[in-house]
């Protein structure tokens, strides 16, 4: 019966909340079938190609105080750093040599990086590497700022909504942050023509299976080009330091459901998934993911960008990460490729 539901979803029929919920609750019975169909779906649109994005974590200063995040403003144990624009450009040059054709600039919400400075950094990368895509992941700004970044050449924007449930959002964030504004940002980004990435943590404190069913309905409605999900992992110096981590098992199942709901979506197997389970990223790819985001940040700052405890790959050089990932991914029957990996509307 649950297998039929999965097949119905794979055939393109929209599921109701109750149907998603039934699948999530009974996932043991359908996980293999879901992964098989999700992999087929990924192949249909993207072949066996797995795209890589070079992640440049350029600042760990943040004005926000999200209860889950290790670099929250209130964590006084963090040694704060900022990369200079030249350092960021150097990272992109090194990444280009390694075959990266997408750079993701991620950071805390750091006012030092004014709209003008961000735009200058984006323009600099595009000037050096016109064949590359630039993705920003720097949190909430106003429409006018997003417009400037787009004009400077930014192609994509990652802004996880974190949870599609307003009350749950308020349990994860302090009062000065609002669900409404985060949603407005996603709408603004879409209207500006970015390839937009939304997403949420799996197993964040207070999340229920019903919330997860709502996540799938929300994604179906939003139609983002990218979806980033990963298990919540506690960070010891945050209010959620003693909470339970999310599971790799539920995360990979949700990856399959997301692939089947949004067939051509760009879907990363995240570092958090690889942290909670040593072969989590491989499992994610086999469950329908098609993107990996290895770290390109300079080795000396990596241990300072800790959103959660025990983060992997903080000691390796970028080149090592690539070699390691290539070997891992080959075992899944997929291959890492070095094109931009844009969102595709057409089939392979
Ligand atoms: N400041 C940017 C970038 C945030 S970091 C922004 O607001 O978008 C990127 C993502 O890491 C977050 O959106 C969140 O979903 C995830 N993250 C933060 N803390 C985490 C934790 N403890 N466990 C797992 N994922 C976490």
């Amino acid at each position: 019966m649950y297998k039929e539901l999965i097949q119905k979803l794979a055939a393109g029929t929209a599921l109701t909340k109750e149907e998603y919920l039934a699948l999530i609750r009974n996932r043991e019975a359908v996980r293999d079938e879901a992964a098989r169909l999700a992999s087929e779906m990924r192949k249909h649109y993207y072949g066996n190609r797995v795209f890589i994005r070079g992640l440049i974590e350029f600042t760990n200063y943040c004005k926000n105080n999200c209860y889950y995040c290790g670099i929250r403003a209130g964590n006084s144990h963090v040694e704060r750093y900022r990369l200079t624009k030249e350092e960021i450009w150097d990272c992109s040059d090194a990444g280009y040599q390694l075959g990266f054709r997408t750079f993701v600039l991620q950071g805390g919400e750091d006012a030092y990086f004014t709209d003008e400075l961000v735009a200058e950094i984006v323009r600099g990368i595009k000037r050096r590497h016109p064949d590359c895509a630039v993705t920003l992941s720097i949190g909430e700004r106003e429409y006018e700022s997003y417009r400037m970044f787009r004009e400077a050449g930014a192609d994509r924007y990652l802004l996880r909504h974190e949870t599609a449930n307003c009350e749950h959002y308020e349990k994860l964030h302090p009062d000065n942050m609002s669900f409404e504004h985060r949603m407005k940002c996603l709408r603004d980004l879409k209207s500006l023509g970015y390839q937009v990435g939304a997403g949420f943590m799996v197993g964040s404190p207070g999340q229920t299976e019903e919330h997860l069913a709502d996540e799938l309905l929300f994604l179906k409605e939003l139609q983002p080009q990218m979806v980033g999900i990963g298990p919540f992992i506690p960070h010891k110096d945050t209010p959620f330091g003693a909470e339970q981590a999310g599971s790799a098992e539920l995360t990979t199942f949700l990856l399959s459901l997301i692939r089947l709901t949004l067939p051509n979506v760009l879907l990363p197997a995240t570092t958090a998934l690889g942290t909670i389970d040593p072969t989590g990223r491989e499992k994610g790819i086999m469950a329908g993911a098609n993107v990996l985001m290895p770290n390109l940040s300079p080795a000396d700052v990596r241990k300072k960008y800790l959103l959660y405890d025990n983060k992997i790959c903080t000691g390796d050089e970028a080149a090592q990460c690539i070699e390691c990932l290539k070997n891992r991914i080959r075992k899944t029957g997929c291959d890492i490729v070095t094109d931009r990996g844009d969102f595709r509307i057409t089939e392979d």
Side-chain angles (χ1 to χ4, degrees):
M1 174 196 161
Y2 300 118
K3 264 196 187 163
E4 277 159 34
L5 266 185
I6 279 286
Q7 285 156 0
K8 201 170 123 182
L9 178 63
T13 311
L15 297 191
T16 63
K17 177 171 176 181
E18 287 66 36
E19 289 173 322
Y20 275 124
L21 190 56
L23 286 174
I24 291 164
R25 291 199 167 134
N26 298 283
R27 56 188 179 273
E28 273 323 306
V30 282
R31 114 178 351 276
D32 293 348
E33 181 72 354
R36 189 181 69 76
L37 290 169
S39 295
E40 262 178 32
M41 192 72 93
R42 184 202 56 223
K43 275 200 196 116
H44 192 70
Y45 282 92
Y46 295 101
N48 61 1
R49 297 193 292 279
V50 169
F51 305 110
I52 47 171
R53 321 295 196 197
L55 185 64
I56 305 174
E57 299 156 333
F58 69 95
T59 173
N60 70 354
Y61 282 85
C62 191
K63 71 173 167 62
N64 288 334
N65 235 337
C66 308
Y67 299 141
Y68 45 85
C69 185
I71 62 167
R72 64 201 301 273
N75 183 3
S76 56
H77 299 291
V78 181
E79 198 184 318
R80 305 283 170 175
Y81 74 91
R82 292 182 177 110
L83 300 186
T84 63
K85 61 188 177 204
E86 289 80 13
E87 285 172 323
I88 297 171
W89 291 331
D90 286 349
C91 272
S92 77
D93 294 347
Y96 192 90
Q97 292 299 318
L98 290 169
F100 288 97
R101 294 296 177 268
T102 292
F103 300 107
V104 181
L105 301 183
Q106 190 179 83
E109 293 200 12
D110 180 1
Y112 172 89
F113 289 93
T114 58
D115 294 345
E116 290 71 24
L117 181 52
V118 172
E120 188 187 346
I121 291 167
V122 172
R123 273 195 302 272
I125 296 180
K126 295 296 270 196
R127 199 180 317 117
R128 279 148 207 262
H129 309 295
D131 54 335
C132 291
V134 172
T135 307
L136 292 174
S137 177
I138 55 173
E140 298 175 34
R141 295 215 182 184
E142 294 309 309
Y143 181 88
E144 196 45 38
S145 317
Y146 288 154
R147 200 190 57 73
M148 271 182 65
F149 305 156
R150 184 91 182 98
E151 217 173 73
D155 305 276
R156 309 182 186 138
Y157 205 104
L158 302 177
L159 185 76
R160 291 188 179 179
H161 55 287
E162 313 298 358
T163 167
N165 180 290
C166 181
E167 274 167 46
H168 186 222
Y169 188 91
E170 287 167 8
K171 290 190 184 136
L172 302 178
H173 302 95
D175 285 348
N176 64 347
M177 292 182 71
S178 97
F179 178 73
E180 266 314 303
H181 193 257
R182 200 137 184 114
M183 291 294 157
K184 176 182 181 299
C185 287
L186 282 172
R187 286 193 302 272
D188 287 349
L189 290 163
K190 279 200 93 176
S191 75
L192 284 161
Y194 283 95
Q195 294 178 41
V196 173
F200 56 91
M201 288 174 288
V202 177
S204 59
Q207 184 180 67
T208 63
E209 288 172 333
E210 282 207 24
H211 288 150
L212 290 172
D214 281 330
E215 291 301 340
L216 291 153
L217 294 182
F218 172 77
L219 290 174
K220 172 91 184 165
E221 193 194 306
L222 181 71
Q223 293 283 318
Q225 287 79 21
M226 306 171 280
V227 174
I229 69 164
F232 160 74
I233 305 174
H235 183 295
K236 59 182 185 337
D237 300 319
T238 64
F240 289 162
E243 299 286 338
Q244 271 220 329
S247 75
E249 165 275 309
L250 181 52
T251 304
T252 50
F253 182 66
L254 289 167
L255 285 171
S256 297
L257 291 187
I258 292 168
R259 167 65 60 206
L260 293 172
T261 302
L262 301 170
N264 50 350
V265 77
L266 292 162
L267 192 61
T270 54
T271 305
L273 181 55
T275 295
I276 208 79
D277 179 331
T279 57
R281 286 170 302 176
E282 293 90 313
K283 287 175 185 160
I285 297 294
M286 288 189 287
N290 65 337
V291 172
L292 292 165
M293 298 170 67
N295 201 324
L296 267 187
S297 313
D300 60 314
V301 303
R302 289 202 188 180
K303 285 195 169 61
K304 300 176 190 165
Y305 196 87
L306 296 183
L307 308 177
Y308 45 80
D309 290 333
N310 306 316
K311 186 177 170 198
I312 55 169
C313 308
T314 55
D316 299 340
E317 292 293 336
Q320 282 174 291
C321 284
I322 292 287
E323 274 318 300
C324 163
L325 280 174
K326 277 187 181 158
N327 290 330
R328 285 166 178 264
I329 296 312
R330 213 169 287 129
K331 292 179 193 141
T332 69
C334 289
D335 269 314
I336 288 184
V337 295
T338 55
D339 56 82
R340 275 173 50 130
D342 281 300
F343 180 70
R344 291 187 72 152
I345 302 166
T346 51
E347 297 167 13
D348 198 39

